[in-house]
């Protein structure tokens, strides 16, 4: 096992499921770079470590730059064919603070696989909104009140931004389907150049749900169409995970404290309709 028990993640943490599935694909011959975030916080209690592979904790903003340097050093030493370089970071360090370094890594064409576990906010610092936080979610910096129904801006579509850089492989995944994560990481590692995978990873503390419900909630996000699952090979049509029977977004929203203001009592039909429209647009756009 390359990510062992003994770390300090919360019960039901989606990120830990993602990391295990990722390392199952990479095997031991990998160097992992992680920006500041939940993963660094719960897996770096000196002198203990759950990591069974070389792991570097770097700043929030420079994971793409550091991983590029690691990859260049491996090439210089003639080890590029033997050792893979993977970044595992949260949405804060990826969508927001580290976006510039990620963009530079993509533009320069480094042979690095960047994987974002997307728990849709800054969880370990008190649940502040990120640009990946979905519309309507209440966070510490997008609180519900008389003048606000939660975050009013849509979730940033970072996979599309990475595709616009010309990356040869971009994929989305969910911790509800760990085998799919492992397969996509293996696919990414088989391709030369910069790759990007975004893994939807529910957070029991930040989203406000029972820790035993992590997988169920992750599946509902996919089944509503709010989290489309696909692969994009450069120059080819998307390979999409089809949804046999879509479920209404209310099935997903009502299980979470961050959306409680929308579904409890008389409900907020106007704003629920706006979120349902996002799911419907995803279904049409991606062919779910």
């Amino acid at each position: 096992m390359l990510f062992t028990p003994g770390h300090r993640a919360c019960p039901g943490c989606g990120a830990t499921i993602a990391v295990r599935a990722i390392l199952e694909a990479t095997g031991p011959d990998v160097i992992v770079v992680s920006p500041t975030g939940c993963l660094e916080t719960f897996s770096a209690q000196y002198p203990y470590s759950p990591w069974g592979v070389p792991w570097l904790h770097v700043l929030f903003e420079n994971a793409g730059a550091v991983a590029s340097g690691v990859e260049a050093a491996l090439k210089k030493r003639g080890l590029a064919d033997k050792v893979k370089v993977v970044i595992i970071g949260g949405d804060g360090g990826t969508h927001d603070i580290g976006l510039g370094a990620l963009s530079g890594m993509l533009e320069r064409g480094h042979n690095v696989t960047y994987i974002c576990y997307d728990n849709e906010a800054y969880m370990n610092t008190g649940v502040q909104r990120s640009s990946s936080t979905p519309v309507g979610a209440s966070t510490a910096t997008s609180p519900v009140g008389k003048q606000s129904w939660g975050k009013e801006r849509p979730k940033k579509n970072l996979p599309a931004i990475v595709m616009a850089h010309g990356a040869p492989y971009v994929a989305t995944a969910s911790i509800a389907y760990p085998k799919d994560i492992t397969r996509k990481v293996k696919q990414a590692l088989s391709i030369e150049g910069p790759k990007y995978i975004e893994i939807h990873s529910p957070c029991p503390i930040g989203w406000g749900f029972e820790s035993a419900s992590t997988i169920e909630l992750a599946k509902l996000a996919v089944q509503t169409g709010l989290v489309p699952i696909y692969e994009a090979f450069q120059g080819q049509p998307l390979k999409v995970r089809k949804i046999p029977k879509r479920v209404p977004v209310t099935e997903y929203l009502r299980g979470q404290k961050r959306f409680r203001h929308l579904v409890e009592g008389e409900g907020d039909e106007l704003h629920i309709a706006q979120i349902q429209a996002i799911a419907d647009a995803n279904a049409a756009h991606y062919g779910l």
Side-chain angles (χ1 to χ4, degrees):
M1 185 178 292
L2 299 177
F3 193 74
T4 62
H7 54 72
R8 299 183 182 181
C10 305
C13 173
T16 57
I17 298 171
V19 171
R20 290 195 187 99
I22 293 165
L23 295 183
E24 185 175 335
T26 66
D29 299 325
V30 64
I31 296 175
V32 176
V33 177
S34 291
T36 293
C38 287
L39 178 59
E40 163 261 328
T41 303
F42 68 68
S43 70
Q45 289 73 43
Y46 181 82
Y48 307 105
S49 174
W51 293 95
V53 299
W55 176 75
L56 301 176
H57 166 227
V58 299
L59 300 176
F60 241 139
E61 65 269 28
N62 65 354
V66 172
S68 298
V70 172
E71 183 248 16
L74 289 170
K75 280 185 176 177
K76 183 69 175 179
R77 294 174 63 87
L79 296 171
D81 293 336
K82 299 179 180 177
V83 182
K84 301 167 281 289
V85 182
V86 171
I87 299 170
I88 306 177
D91 50 290
T94 305
H95 287 237
D96 295 345
I97 302 173
L99 181 58
L102 168 60
S103 178
M105 184 199 90
L106 296 167
E107 186 274 329
R108 292 188 299 271
H110 290 280
N111 188 27
V112 175
T113 300
Y114 196 121
I115 303 170
C116 173
Y117 62 94
D118 179 16
N119 56 21
E120 301 186 325
Y122 292 83
M123 297 309 183
N124 67 300
T125 54
V127 195
Q128 296 87 9
R129 79 187 281 284
S130 75
S131 59
S132 185
T133 301
V135 67
S138 179
T139 72
T141 48
S142 60
V144 173
K146 292 182 179 178
Q147 303 298 322
S148 170
W149 64 288
K151 189 190 176 206
E152 297 185 356
R153 296 294 302 160
K155 182 184 179 80
K156 181 186 289 182
N157 189 347
L158 189 54
I161 293 172
V162 176
M163 280 188 264
H165 281 74
Y169 182 76
V170 177
T172 61
S174 167
I175 58 95
Y177 310 103
K179 290 183 178 178
D180 184 56
I181 295 173
T182 299
R183 183 187 66 78
K184 286 174 176 170
V185 174
K186 287 181 178 178
Q187 179 68 71
L189 294 174
S190 72
I191 297 172
E192 184 73 17
K195 291 81 59 176
Y196 180 77
I197 301 174
E198 187 159 292
I199 304 173
H200 192 240
S201 305
C203 170
I205 303 300
W207 297 13
F209 64 87
E210 293 295 327
S211 58
S213 302
T214 299
I215 298 296
E216 177 186 359
L217 202 62
K219 286 183 178 178
L220 280 173
V222 175
Q223 291 167 348
T224 59
L226 288 172
V227 177
I229 303 298
Y230 59 83
E231 290 176 283
F233 296 86
Q234 189 177 25
Q236 299 181 26
L238 292 180
K239 296 177 65 175
V240 178
R241 183 186 188 94
K242 299 289 185 180
I243 304 173
K245 184 179 181 181
R246 286 179 57 210
V247 300
V249 297
T250 50
E251 297 296 312
Y252 173 62
L253 302 179
R254 68 165 50 107
Q256 304 174 58
K257 186 178 179 181
R258 62 178 178 163
F259 294 119
R260 185 170 59 188
H261 56 288
L262 299 176
V263 294
E264 289 192 346
E266 296 181 357
D268 185 341
E269 294 184 3
L270 173 63
H271 290 123
I272 289 176
Q274 291 185 24
I275 297 174
Q276 184 64 56
I278 294 171
D280 295 344
N282 283 341
H285 178 74
Y286 295 101
L288 301 177

